Each structure stands twice: as C-alpha cells, then as structure tokens.
C-alpha cells in the first residue's frame, strides 16, 4: 500500500462567495477568511444593502480595518442589484475598480434580500451594460414563489429565469452561486463558456437529512437548502471533475448562535475557519486531491479575468478536532458566539499557518 500523501502545497486560493458582515461580526469573522484566502468576493447583503460605489468603498475600508496590516487580503466588492439601481453607477464602480461583480438576489429569496429584484425585466438595462463592459453577474438562483416546493426552487429558477436571461444576454458572464442540484450541474456543464458556478463545502458534505438528524439541527440550515443525496453526489462529481466551470465559493454566512437557534432561525453556515480543510476532505474522499488546486485557485480567477495568486499554501495531514463553538472577539472585546461547520468532527487536513 502506498503511504497516503502527508502534505499538499498549492497556489494560494481565493473565495469567490463570502459574507463578511459588518460591525462586530465583521471584526469577528474577517480574520478567518483572510487566514485561508488571498482574495474574496464579498457579498453585499448588508442592512442597508451595498448599492452605491461610495458605500462599497466605505465597506471595503471597514473590511481592511478589521484585519491586521500584514494580512495581504484583498476584498473584491459586489453591487447589490435592486429594481431601481442606476446602470451608470454600476458602470462607474466597475470602471473605477471598486466593484468586481454585481449580485442578483430575487427579492425575498434569502437573508437581507428584501431590497432585491422583484421583476427581472426591471434590471434589463443594467444587464445590458454589464454584458457590454464584461462585468460578471452573480446569481442567487432560486424562485421565491411560495407555492413552489423549497427543494425545487433552484431547478425552477433555471427553467423560468436563467435560461431566458442567458438567451437575452449571450455575452454576459454569469456565475450561478452555491449550486445545490444535479439540474444545475447539468445546466452549467452544458452551457456556454460564459456560464460558471460556485460550490460550497457544506453542499459537498451534507444532504438534507443533516438538518433533521436526531432533531432539528439549525447549524445545517442554509439557502439554497441542502437537497437529497443524489444531488450531493452530482456536486461532488462536478467539483472534482477538473471542469473549469466549477470553482470554490464557500458561502460562509455567519449568524450568532442565538440567531440560528431562535424560533425563526437564520439561514447560513459559518464554514470560513476550516474551509480549505473541508474541501480537501471531499477531494481526498473522491480520490481527486490532484484536482484540488485548480478548483480552489485557478478556475475562479480565470473566469473573472484576474491574475492567479503568486503565493503558495501548504495543507498538512494533521487530524484535528473542530471546536464546537468559536468565541470570536470583536475589537471592543465583546464575544460573538458562533458554531463552525464540522463542529465536533475531526478533519484530516490542516492549513499550515505562520509561514
Ligand atoms: C446567506 C446570508 O446569511 O447572508 N445565507 C445563506 O444561507 N447562504 C445568504 C445567501 O447567500 O443566500
Ligand atoms: Zn451567500
């Protein structure tokens, strides 16, 4: 039997979908993302949402201020599309290098999406501008109609919204974010080169049973909600296939323990602290560790048209238990109580830090 690989050195990865939040939560969680990633596409679903160039610049400064000077981390900002957003503002922010992309939330689809788009026809002028200037559109791909079963909302979105949108904008770069279904895998795989998708660690590890194992488990509740096992298998196949249309996006979405465990618990899984370790576990289980680097560090920047990172990181085989709670402190020293993904589990790989 050959010895299993003991360490893995790969190009520094980026996270193409993360929620860094604001205020005390930002200070508590930003270091975890900066420790794992060189750049990250930062979601704009704050309250109020990030809809202007000025708001995005100010938010970028708050992110930088939440990190040590030497972190070397680059936040890539996104614009939150609303029914009334001004196409000129979008074009200006992209030209000035403030915005890397714009995010489309169907109104009501997820956390802080109330100001999202209520009728897709309203943003046609913005999409035309984005297509012309080569600015990527990032999509939360779920319909919001209450009569559509929650487990079908992503597949119905493809049929009703995404397919016609791509037809209308043949040159628009589109990332279908945090895909959860075989339908999305098939659609993205057979779609044009300007269509890609991000895949989270949690959708590679859990299926919908996790939310109900022995009782109601809010730590496994996120949106889009985890689906049945055959979808998880399809996602694992896509992520480890070496197809450049599928790349890393954690969708790390922290909510305090109290907010997760309330009578109407918030959707979102906080996976930033051990994100690479989590992906490495999947790639190892799929005997595809040789495909990890392209997924974490090459396909994303290539799709966005950005340079690959020059630095390298090393993952070591060093089994470690993920803490069941993280008590992160903000700058003022108050504790933010968070449950990390994989809480209480042992992960085989560990990111080497401090080198
Ligand atoms: C995200 C959040 O909390 O901001 N929640 C989630 O479950 N993923 C929003 C989102 O990406 O849908
Ligand atoms: Zn998200």
């Amino acid at each position: 039997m050959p010895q299993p690989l003991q360490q893995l050195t790969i190009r520094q990865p980026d996270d193409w979908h993360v929620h860094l939040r604001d205020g005390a939560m930002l200070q508590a969680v930003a270091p975890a993302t900066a420790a794992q990633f060189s750049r990250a596409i930062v979601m704009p679903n704050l309250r109020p949402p990030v809809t202007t160039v000025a708001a995005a610049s100010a938010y970028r400064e708050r992110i930088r201020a939440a990190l040590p000077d030497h972190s070397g981390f680059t936040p890539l900002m996104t614009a939150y599309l609303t029914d009334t957003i001004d196409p000129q503002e979008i074009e200006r922010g992209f030209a000035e290098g403030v915005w890397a992309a714009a995010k489309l939330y169907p109104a009501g689809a997820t956390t802080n999406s109330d100001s999202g788009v209520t009728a897709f026809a309203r943003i046609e002028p913005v999409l035309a501008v984005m297509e012309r200037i080569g600015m990527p559109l990032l999509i939360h791909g779920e319909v919001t109609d209450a009569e559509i079963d929650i487990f079908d909302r992503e597949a119905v979105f493809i049929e009703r919204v995404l397919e016609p949108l791509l037809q209308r904008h043949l040159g628009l770069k589109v990332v279908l974010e945090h895909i959860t279904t075989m339908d999305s895998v098939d659609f993205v795989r057979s779609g044009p080169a300007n269509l890609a998708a991000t895949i989270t660690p949690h959708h590679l590890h859990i299926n919908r049973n996790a939310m109900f194992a022995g009782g109601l488990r809010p730590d496994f509740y996120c949106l889009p909600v985890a689906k049945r096992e055959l979808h998880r298998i399809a996602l694992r196949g896509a992520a480890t296939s070496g197809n450049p249309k599928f790349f890393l996006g954690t969708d790390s979405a922290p909510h305090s323990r109290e907010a997760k465990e309330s009578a109407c618990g918030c959707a979102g899984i906080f996976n930033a602290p051990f994100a690479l370790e989590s992906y490495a576990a999947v790639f190892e289980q799929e005997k595809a560790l040789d495909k990890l680097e392209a997924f974490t560090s090459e396909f994303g920047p290539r799709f966005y048209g950005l340079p690959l990172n020059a630095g390298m990181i090393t993952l070591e085989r060093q089994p470690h238990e993920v803490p069941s709670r993280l008590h992160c402190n903000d700058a003022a020293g108050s504790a933010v109580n968070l449950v990390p993904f994989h809480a209480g589990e042992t992960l085989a790989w560990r990111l080497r830090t401090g080198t």
Side-chain angles (χ1 to χ4, degrees):
M1 278 279 286
Q3 276 289 309
L5 200 62
Q6 294 301 312
Q7 67 175 48
L8 190 58
T9 296
I10 59 173
R11 187 183 294 279
Q12 174 92 54
D14 305 300
D15 186 351
W16 299 96
H17 182 129
V18 70
H19 300 268
L20 292 182
R21 311 301 194 205
D22 211 346
M25 186 67 97
L26 166 65
Q27 289 171 11
V29 304
T33 289
Q36 294 247 326
F37 299 104
S38 176
R39 297 169 288 196
I41 284 279
V42 181
M43 288 297 130
N45 62 332
L46 305 180
R47 271 179 200 277
V50 181
T51 54
T52 64
V53 182
S57 303
Y59 183 31
R60 187 167 60 180
E61 282 317 305
R62 295 198 295 282
I63 295 168
R64 288 188 178 135
L67 294 168
D69 290 342
H70 55 82
S71 81
F73 177 75
T74 305
L76 301 171
M77 310 311 289
T78 56
Y80 183 116
L81 297 181
T82 65
D83 285 349
T84 54
I85 196 142
D86 178 1
Q88 281 180 358
E89 184 76 358
I90 295 295
E91 184 165 10
R92 183 171 70 85
F94 188 64
E96 290 176 5
V98 176
W99 279 329
K103 179 71 190 273
L104 167 54
Y105 289 106
T110 188
T111 311
N112 295 347
S113 63
D114 306 352
S115 315
V117 175
T118 65
F120 300 104
R122 301 224 166 108
I123 54 161
E124 276 302 305
V126 183
L127 299 187
V129 165
M130 291 174 61
E131 184 176 5
R132 172 166 56 74
I133 64 179
M135 179 173 180
L137 175 70
L138 317 182
I139 300 185
H140 184 110
E142 289 190 287
V143 292
T144 54
D145 324 32
E147 69 272 19
I148 306 286
D149 189 282
I150 190 164
F151 294 101
D152 296 333
R153 288 181 191 171
E154 185 175 287
V156 174
F157 182 90
I158 292 177
E159 199 183 293
R160 288 197 191 163
V161 184
L162 186 55
E163 206 163 5
L165 186 150
L166 289 166
Q167 286 298 326
R168 290 195 301 275
H169 301 280
L170 293 172
L172 183 62
K173 275 193 197 180
V174 172
V175 185
L176 187 56
E177 299 289 323
H178 41 51
I179 58 170
T180 61
T181 57
M182 185 166 65
D183 312 67
S184 290
V185 168
D186 291 344
F187 185 76
V188 171
R189 192 192 283 129
S190 59
N194 54 309
L195 174 66
T198 53
I199 306 182
T200 74
H202 42 279
H203 291 115
L204 294 171
H205 278 280
I206 61 166
N207 64 31
R208 62 192 192 177
N209 291 335
M211 288 181 291
F212 310 105
L216 203 51
R217 304 286 297 270
D219 297 328
F220 298 116
Y221 173 53
C222 65
L223 288 168
V225 71
K227 308 295 191 296
R228 59 169 74 238
E229 179 65 359
L230 69 92
H231 295 293
R232 186 180 77 102
I233 292 169
L235 294 171
R236 288 170 77 103
T240 59
S241 66
N243 184 331
K245 286 164 148 287
F246 301 102
F247 49 84
L248 185 158
T250 64
D251 194 20
S252 183
H255 293 278
S256 69
R257 183 182 163 214
E258 295 73 27
K260 290 287 294 173
E261 295 181 359
S262 82
C264 187
C266 293
I269 293 178
F270 178 48
N271 60 31
F274 302 99
L276 290 172
E277 290 89 339
S278 181
Y279 282 115
V282 170
F283 278 70
E284 176 153 58
Q285 286 154 8
E286 297 293 328
K287 301 191 173 34
L289 276 175
D290 59 323
K291 303 270 182 13
L292 182 68
E293 180 175 29
F295 176 81
T296 61
S297 320
E298 293 172 9
F299 297 155
R302 289 220 176 100
F303 186 83
Y304 275 80
L306 293 169
L308 305 190
N309 294 316
M312 306 296 279
I313 56 135
T314 297
L315 287 158
E316 294 170 328
R317 187 178 300 283
Q318 193 191 109
H320 59 105
E321 195 178 316
V322 173
S324 55
R325 299 268 182 278
L326 289 178
H327 305 279
C328 304
N329 284 326
D330 64 23
S334 10
V336 181
N337 219 344
L338 294 163
V339 178
F341 185 48
H342 294 298
E345 291 173 38
T346 296
L347 290 172
W349 291 93
R350 179 138 221 188
L351 179 64
R352 185 193 289 168
T353 51
T355 48

